[in-house]
Amino acid sequence: MVRTRKERKAAAEIKLAQPDRSAPSEQTLLDLALERNLFEQADRHPANRHRSKGNHDDGDGDDGELSPTTDRIMDALLWTVSLAMLHFTLDVLVQHQYAVDIEWPGIVARALLAFVVFFVFFYVLHPHPSSPVLLPGLPLRFQAPLRQAIFFIASTISGCYLIDISNNYGYMYIMKRSPPLGCLWVWSVIELNLAPALTSLAIACGFFYQGGYSLTP
């Protein structure tokens, strides 16, 4: 912006100086508020106490941590939804294998039933930090081996039984039993540690070859 000669002359007459950085010589509004305890009075007001409590509660809930029970339920839901989807898939595949008409309502109903059953079993048997005790009265050091023994037996029996019925039973029996047995076998092997899981699978393979079973019907 172009300034006139008069404006330039007036600006030249203004002396530049540093601002005054010394403390105020008179009381400020903050000093008056502190002198009269206005901040303490405001904190004691019921409306401000309620607001402060609400802010603390919101801050406690923002850490994102779930209670142990909620975390255990969410963990069980995540796993059982996956197992129910696996049951649904196996049910469709076994019906497709025998070239029967796929009954979708029945498949969905069986998958929902499997969800409920596996949720109960998973909630009880799956190890969780909030509930390390499976059998009350048993020392804590034996709780994990007990769970491993249960899953080892379940995986071995379900695997061998699934191999047996797939070769020796009729298609109606196979279509009814295969999906839940397959889900139980997969879940049990996942729950096992590496060594017992490999041992269980080796037993199932030995049972398959010793029995002279075939992969084709």
Side-chain angles (χ1 to χ4, degrees):
M1 182 178 178
V2 180
R3 294 187 299 176
T4 62
R5 182 180 302 175
K6 185 184 230 180
E7 290 175 343
R8 287 197 298 270
K9 183 178 179 181
E13 294 176 354
I14 298 176
K15 296 182 179 181
L16 301 178
Q18 293 289 336
D20 186 9
R21 295 187 175 89
S22 61
S25 58
E26 300 179 356
Q27 283 186 323
T28 62
L29 293 177
L30 179 61
D31 295 331
L32 292 174
L34 293 174
E35 182 181 348
R36 300 182 182 181
N37 297 325
L38 295 181
F39 293 110
E40 295 180 3
Q41 295 178 18
D43 291 337
R44 289 195 297 267
H45 195 276
N48 291 332
R49 284 205 305 267
H50 178 72
R51 183 182 303 172
S52 177
K53 182 178 179 181
N55 291 335
H56 286 302
D57 293 341
D58 293 341
D60 294 340
D62 290 339
D63 54 3
E65 295 183 359
L66 300 176
S67 65
T69 303
T70 304
D71 183 69
R72 187 181 180 188
I73 292 175
M74 295 299 292
D75 192 24
L77 285 174
L78 177 63
W79 278 89
T80 49
V81 166
S82 302
L83 290 173
M85 293 173 63
L86 176 61
H87 188 284
F88 180 91
T89 304
L90 293 176
D91 207 347
V92 173
L93 290 177
V94 74
Q95 291 194 32
H96 180 72
Q97 178 183 358
Y98 291 102
V100 298
D101 293 334
I102 298 178
E103 299 178 359
W104 295 107
I107 292 176
V108 173
R110 288 189 291 270
L112 292 176
L113 179 60
F115 171 82
V116 175
V117 174
F118 277 112
F119 180 85
V120 174
F121 278 105
F122 188 93
Y123 189 85
V124 174
L125 295 176
H126 181 72
H128 193 273
S130 65
S131 181
V133 177
L134 176 62
L135 183 63
L138 188 69
L140 188 60
R141 65 179 182 275
F142 296 124
Q143 298 293 335
L146 176 62
R147 282 189 169 92
Q148 289 292 296
I150 292 174
F151 286 119
F152 181 81
I153 295 173
S155 63
T156 304
I157 293 178
S158 60
C160 294
Y161 187 46
L162 181 60
I163 294 172
D164 181 63
I165 67 172
S166 299
N167 288 268
N168 295 329
Y169 287 78
Y171 75 97
M172 291 297 295
Y173 191 87
I174 296 174
M175 287 194 300
K176 184 177 180 181
R177 300 295 184 184
S178 292
L181 282 174
C183 293
L184 179 60
W185 192 11
V186 171
W187 173 45
S188 300
V189 172
I190 292 175
E191 291 282 2
L192 288 172
N193 295 330
L194 180 60
L198 293 177
T199 303
S200 174
L201 292 176
I203 293 174
C205 292
F207 179 81
F208 178 82
Y209 287 108
Q210 285 291 338
Y213 297 105
S214 173
L215 294 176
T216 58

